[in-house]
């Protein structure tokens, strides 16, 4: 026959098993995944540097085109005996200079935006390189109930509760 205390101890062991299983998790590191973050970071930083260099090259091309056109305008005006000291000739040169400066600013902005996108991709790759990927899974009941350490710890907890129950019953 089962005594009330024996049934209580059995229920305590079962409750401990349930609570232990719910908090028991395995963390396994995946050994088959390849960390490409360092390569991705290097490629992104290289592309950012290339975007900046390409931006500088296109700005220099725009500057050279402007300087050539300014020289052509000045020589054309001078050939037509137009004074470059004042008036509409100076206005024309100043306007062309402003237009060229806006074009160069636009080119600089475009190259900076493209380089920034690559900088962000590089920073994300650096962050991925720091964080390891972990796979968390819940233990199955079969694994839990056949694990010797689980059984020993659960029995200890149950017996300690049994001792507390019998102490309360004696009072």
């Amino acid at each position: 026959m089962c005594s009330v205390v024996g049934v209580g101890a059995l229920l305590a062991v079962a409750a401990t098993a349930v609570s232990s299983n719910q908090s028991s998790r395995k963390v396994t590191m995946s050994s088959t995944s390849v960390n490409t973050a360092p390569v991705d970071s290097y490629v992104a930083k290289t592309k950012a540097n290339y975007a900046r260099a390409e931006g500088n090259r296109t700005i220099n091309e725009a500057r050279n085109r402007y300087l050539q056109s300014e020289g052509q305008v000045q020589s054309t005006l001078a050939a037509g005996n137009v004074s470059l000291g004042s008036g509409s000739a100076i206005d024309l040169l100043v306007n062309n200079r402003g237009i060229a400066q806006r074009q160069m600013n636009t080119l600089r902005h475009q190259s900076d935006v493209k380089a920034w996108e690559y900088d962000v991709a590089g920073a994300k790759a650096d962050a991925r390189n720091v964080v390891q990927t972990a796979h968390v899974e819940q233990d199955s009941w079969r694994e839990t109930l056949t694990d010797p350490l689980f059984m020993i710890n659960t029995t200890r907890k149950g017996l300690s509760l049994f001792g507390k129950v019998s102490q309360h019953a004696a009072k």
Side-chain angles (χ1 to χ4, degrees):
M1 281 194 124
C2 289
S3 68
V4 174
V5 175
V7 172
L10 184 60
L11 289 175
V13 169
T16 305
V18 169
S19 68
S20 294
N21 186 49
Q22 289 175 351
S23 64
S24 174
R25 296 187 185 271
K26 284 185 181 176
V27 176
T28 56
M29 301 307 288
S30 174
S31 61
T32 58
S33 65
V34 177
N35 185 6
T36 62
V39 174
D40 295 342
S41 174
Y42 173 77
V43 168
K45 290 174 184 175
T46 302
K47 286 182 177 181
N49 290 337
Y50 177 77
R52 287 184 185 94
E54 184 66 19
N56 289 337
R57 188 188 63 74
T58 56
I59 289 169
N60 287 335
E61 283 180 1
R63 184 178 295 114
N64 289 338
R65 280 193 309 271
Y66 164 72
L67 292 174
Q68 286 175 349
S69 74
E70 184 179 42
Q72 289 172 347
V73 168
Q74 285 178 350
S75 64
T76 302
L77 292 173
N81 287 332
V82 176
S83 172
L84 297 177
S86 64
S88 63
I90 290 294
D91 292 339
L92 174 66
L93 292 174
V94 168
N95 286 341
N96 287 346
R97 201 171 284 149
I99 291 169
Q101 187 61 50
R102 279 194 298 277
Q103 288 174 341
M104 287 186 280
N105 289 344
T106 301
L107 291 170
R108 168 65 61 210
H109 175 73
Q110 289 170 345
S111 70
D112 286 346
V113 167
K114 187 170 220 151
W116 177 78
E117 289 172 356
Y118 290 125
D119 286 337
V120 168
K124 286 180 180 179
D126 287 340
R128 278 195 325 267
N129 192 28
V130 172
V131 178
Q132 294 182 354
T133 57
H135 177 71
V136 177
E137 64 183 46
Q138 183 79 24
D139 280 348
S140 70
W141 277 104
R142 183 172 184 227
E143 290 173 347
T144 301
L145 294 175
T146 57
D147 183 9
L149 290 176
F150 171 78
M151 295 304 291
I152 291 169
N153 289 334
T154 303
T155 305
R156 283 183 184 165
K157 287 180 186 177
L159 292 176
S160 71
L161 291 174
F162 178 70
K164 291 179 183 175
V165 170
S166 63
Q167 287 174 4
H168 288 293
K171 289 183 182 178

